[in-house]
Amino acid sequence: MLVAAAALSAGAVLMPAPPQPPPPDFEGAALAGDSAESAGSVWYCPWMNAGALRDSYVMLAAEAEVEVGITLPNPIPNEAPDRAFVTMGEQTADFVEVASIVRRGDAPGFVEFDDGPAAVAAILTSDTVVAGDRCTASVPKLWHLAGGTTRPDRTTILRLFNPFPEPAKVTVSGSSEFGEIGLAGFTSVDVAGRSWSDFTLNESVPLLDDLSLTVSSEEGLVIPTLVVVSELDEATWPGTGLSTTWEFPVVRQTGLVPSLILSNPGDVDAEIELDVYTEEGGTTAARTATVEAHRPLRLSVGDLADRFFAVRVRSTEPIAAVVVSEDVVEEVAEEDEGGEAATAPTTSRIAGTIGAASPAVRWLLPGPGVVPTASSALWLLNTSTDQVSVTVQPLSGTEFQPDKIVLEAETVSRVVLPQGGEIAGYLIAAPQPISAAWSVESSDGAAFVAGIAVDE
């Protein structure tokens, strides 16, 4: 027995070290909630691109230690997707350049976490463009997308992304300032599994100031996103559900003129009240309006405050809402090569975002500080009648200590971040519900990004 034991001990010493465990076997695209949950989750990012002139960032934030899988389906049928894996520690943020995974132009994808809470946003950049918003985790059968326009100086694109292996069949309907409109060719649209389709809506329904869409799945599921393109920049935001309240912590960036676009797909007119919040305080029912059934309403809200501000929408009926903030383009005189007088537009930045249907006590903000050539800011909104102390925790391990910010009752605060910092995300926490978002801007482009609430 002693000899046998010695032999076993010697064998154990000579055995090689066990191999490192493989990364989690992610199950692929799945259904999940639309907030950061204390469990594994999948997030879908339809509007990304990496090529000669553009790149995108997949921006990650996590409270728990997680393994992350990023999957970019191949547009060639039956070809394997491109994938990347990341390990993240507790309370950290990270980002992955899509170009480091693949360069082939359009590259929508999905991100899987094996634990949570964790969340994802995506930003697309070029020499003139900054565009993006938070990614989405819910996959309902009915989506609402407000804020489109097909006026001559704007192009609106609808992307339908199907990350699932099963094919999907969807119907897209629309409404405008003229009421319900027919969208020829948008009934029972096929979207193959692991693929996407883009539709330039100016070709189908031109010269509309306001265009709101609903996307209904008959078979399978898709994730839609709306993209509005100006002369130089573009803005994109995901589809949403409907709510009787919407909070927008970020409405206006320097030099941009904001509009609030409301869409009522129901059969009963909605009466809305617009509450406005500045650094100094809030004004309840600063503006009232009626959103007619099947007739979107665009409210120019730049005159509600002199500087930056936030808004809350309260409605008698469930509605969809987005904020779009853009340059007022002025034509400037130039001379062409022949000395003839000509005109050219000034910069035409555009940013848009969805709001928060309700405030929350914890928010994940993946991405602030990631774009090295642009400046970022956090936006914190307290619509309650009580003062609240907010903890702003940089997601960088223990390297940076949290900051405390006192939000007075019914106020909004803008926290300007250092450009080119080492932090790639933030956790916002408060003892009572607030709303949070962030913005990024360069000299040519701007984007607003909604925060992601953390389930308690």
Side-chain angles (χ1 to χ4, degrees), residues 54 128-130 149 151-157 227-235 324-327 329 345-351 444-446:
R54 293 183 164 203
T128 62
V129 172
V130 181
T149 179
R151 67 181 194 255
D153 60 342
R154 295 290 183 265
T155 299
T156 295
I157 300 167
V227 185
V228 178
V229 183
S230 69
E231 290 85 348
L232 297 175
D233 194 16
E234 62 191 45
V324 178
S325 195
E326 51 196 323
D327 280 327
V329 178
T346 61
T347 59
S348 183
R349 297 173 300 159
I350 181 171
D444 297 310

Side-chain angles (χ1 to χ4, degrees), residues 329-354:
V329 178
E330 297 179 357
E331 299 291 331
V332 295
E334 290 185 348
E335 288 188 358
D336 59 22
E337 294 180 356
E340 298 292 331
T343 60
T346 61
T347 59
S348 183
R349 297 173 300 159
I350 181 171
T353 187
I354 58 176

Side-chain angles (χ1 to χ4, degrees), residues 23-35:
D25 184 14
F26 294 111
E27 297 179 356
L31 303 182
D34 210 24
S35 56

Side-chain angles (χ1 to χ4, degrees), residues 300-394:
S300 179
V301 294
D303 60 338
L304 293 176
D306 293 333
R307 299 182 63 234
F308 64 84
F309 63 99
V311 298
R312 178 177 63 181
V313 181
R314 293 177 288 116
S315 173
T316 58
E317 300 293 329
I319 59 174
V322 299
V323 157
V324 178
S325 195
E326 51 196 323
D327 280 327
V328 176
V329 178
E330 297 179 357
E331 299 291 331
V332 295
E334 290 185 348
E335 288 188 358
D336 59 22
E337 294 180 356
E340 298 292 331
T343 60
T346 61
T347 59
S348 183
R349 297 173 300 159
I350 181 171
T353 187
I354 58 176
S358 60
V361 296
R362 296 172 72 84
W363 293 87
L364 281 173
L365 304 181
V370 164
V371 183
T373 58
S375 58
S376 300
L378 309 182
W379 301 79
L380 309 175
L381 171 60
N382 176 20
T383 60
S384 77
T385 55
D386 297 318
Q387 181 191 82
V388 59
S389 177
V390 180
T391 301
V392 179
Q393 173 66 62

Side-chain angles (χ1 to χ4, degrees), residues 36-341:
E37 302 176 342
S38 298
S41 60
V42 184
W43 294 80
Y44 307 96
C45 307
W47 194 251
M48 298 192 295
N49 183 291
L53 301 177
R54 293 183 164 203
D55 198 3
S56 298
Y57 298 90
V58 181
M59 302 175 294
L60 316 168
E63 285 199 67
E65 183 176 337
V66 294
E67 298 290 336
V68 189
I70 301 171
T71 301
L72 307 177
N74 196 311
I76 302 174
N78 302 318
E79 289 292 324
D82 296 283
R83 307 193 73 187
F85 298 93
V86 178
T87 299
M88 299 176 63
E90 290 187 26
Q91 291 205 348
T92 58
D94 203 348
F95 67 93
V96 176
E97 289 187 65
V98 173
S100 69
I101 306 174
V102 65
R103 282 187 182 271
R104 61 160 175 261
D106 289 335
F110 55 90
V111 180
E112 301 168 82
F113 295 94
D114 70 340
D115 202 356
V120 186
I123 287 286
L124 181 150
T125 65
S126 75
D127 288 344
T128 62
V129 172
V130 181
D133 208 333
R134 70 165 177 83
C135 299
T136 185
S138 64
V139 191
K141 283 186 169 292
L142 182 64
W143 295 89
H144 301 274
L145 299 105
T149 179
T150 58
R151 67 181 194 255
D153 60 342
R154 295 290 183 265
T155 299
T156 295
I157 300 167
L158 172 67
R159 170 165 290 179
L160 302 176
F161 175 40
N162 178 8
F164 303 96
E166 300 81 11
K169 189 183 296 289
V170 303
T171 291
V172 183
S173 56
S175 60
S176 76
E177 63 268 28
F178 303 111
E180 292 186 86
I181 59 173
L183 287 170
F186 284 86
T187 301
S188 298
V189 177
D190 292 312
V191 185
R194 308 289 199 213
S195 74
W196 60 93
S197 298
D198 289 350
F199 302 92
T200 302
L201 297 174
N202 297 59
E203 300 170 358
S204 302
V205 282
L207 304 178
L208 296 177
D209 287 332
D210 299 301
L211 175 63
S212 293
L213 305 173
T214 61
V215 178
S216 176
S217 294
E218 304 167 28
E219 300 175 10
L221 296 164
V222 300
I223 292 87
T225 193
L226 204 63
V227 185
V228 178
V229 183
S230 69
E231 290 85 348
L232 297 175
D233 194 16
E234 62 191 45
T236 179
W237 52 89
T240 68
L242 302 176
S243 179
T244 56
T245 61
W246 291 102
E247 294 191 3
F248 292 90
V250 55
V251 174
R252 174 164 59 195
Q253 192 61 277
T254 306
L256 300 183
V257 178
S259 295
L260 176 67
I261 301 97
L262 308 173
S263 175
N264 176 13
D267 295 325
V268 178
D269 292 353
E271 303 300 325
I272 66 103
E273 292 185 339
L274 189 62
D275 306 327
V276 179
Y277 303 92
T278 68
E279 293 176 289
E280 289 76 30
T283 302
T284 302
R287 183 166 296 172
T288 60
T290 299
V291 186
E292 297 179 31
H294 308 289
R295 195 181 298 270
L297 175 67
R298 181 182 294 260
L299 295 174
S300 179
V301 294
D303 60 338
L304 293 176
D306 293 333
R307 299 182 63 234
F308 64 84
F309 63 99
V311 298
R312 178 177 63 181
V313 181
R314 293 177 288 116
S315 173
T316 58
E317 300 293 329
I319 59 174
V322 299
V323 157
V324 178
S325 195
E326 51 196 323
D327 280 327
V328 176
V329 178
E330 297 179 357
E331 299 291 331
V332 295
E334 290 185 348
E335 288 188 358
D336 59 22
E337 294 180 356
E340 298 292 331

